[in-house]
Amino acid sequence: MTRTISAADTAKLVRAALKAAFPRTRFSVRTLSSRGGAAIDVSWMDGPAYDAVAAVARDYEGAGFDARTDLKSHHARVIGGELVQLMADFVLLHRSFSGEALRAAAVEVARRYDVPVARIAVDEWGARVADAEAEHRRIGTDYHSWVVVRTAQDLALE
């Protein structure tokens, strides 16, 4: 017989798996509920790459979605040798970067592409390239704020 695991208990399993896989990174793991089902929302700053976290966390999704048929389907999983149905349908992942990480990336972008260092803003919403449009005009047409973010991702992997 298949045992059902609530979304809240699934979130606990996700948190434990992430802590085991990435002990130095702090994750926020929350349960989201709606009439359409439940999901686990995972966010973290800096730390491991998105794909590495996805490889661990997505094992705890209790459903899949087929866009061709517009159908959500539930599936059971084996966890700890037991067949279970996870009531959290999906795991949503959100990675952000600290001001320090984006500043280091901006310096690296400036070095690689011989452009001025982008200004990084940090406020209650997090870190980002300050006024991306103004930075685009100041630095030139070949510069995009996403290069800084992509470089921050690359530097985290090194």
Side-chain angles (χ1 to χ4, degrees):
M1 184 166 152
T2 304
R3 182 170 65 100
T4 301
I5 298 179
S6 71
D9 287 339
T10 302
K12 291 175 187 176
L13 294 172
V14 170
R15 184 177 288 112
L18 291 171
K19 186 171 184 150
F22 311 105
R24 296 184 344 199
T25 302
R26 186 172 159 225
F27 291 91
S28 169
V29 180
R30 297 177 180 211
T31 305
L32 306 173
S33 297
S34 70
R35 287 184 292 179
I40 307 293
D41 186 74
V42 177
S43 58
W44 72 103
M45 185 176 290
D46 301 334
Y50 182 95
D51 291 342
V53 173
V56 173
R58 294 248 162 92
D59 280 345
Y60 295 91
E61 291 184 325
F65 183 76
D66 183 348
R68 292 174 292 156
T69 61
D70 194 28
L71 179 67
K72 177 174 81 170
S73 60
H74 294 273
H75 46 267
R77 299 242 185 238
V78 175
I79 297 179
E82 180 183 16
L83 188 62
V84 297
Q85 176 62 54
L86 302 170
M87 296 311 294
D89 297 332
F90 302 104
V91 176
L92 311 172
L93 304 174
H94 307 282
R95 184 183 187 199
S96 63
F97 293 97
S98 65
E100 291 174 0
L102 285 184
R103 283 185 194 98
V107 168
E108 180 61 19
V109 167
R111 184 191 67 74
R112 285 182 191 174
Y113 302 107
D114 194 28
V115 295
V117 176
R119 291 180 277 235
I120 304 300
V122 180
D123 57 22
E124 68 272 10
W125 301 103
R128 66 189 185 293
V129 174
D131 191 358
E133 285 186 34
E135 287 298 281
H136 181 75
R137 288 189 301 276
R138 180 177 77 90
I139 294 174
T141 59
D142 293 331
Y143 183 82
H144 299 285
S145 60
W146 63 265
V147 174
V148 174
V149 174
R150 180 58 205 217
T151 303
Q153 293 169 346
D154 292 346
L155 291 175
L157 298 176
E158 295 175 356

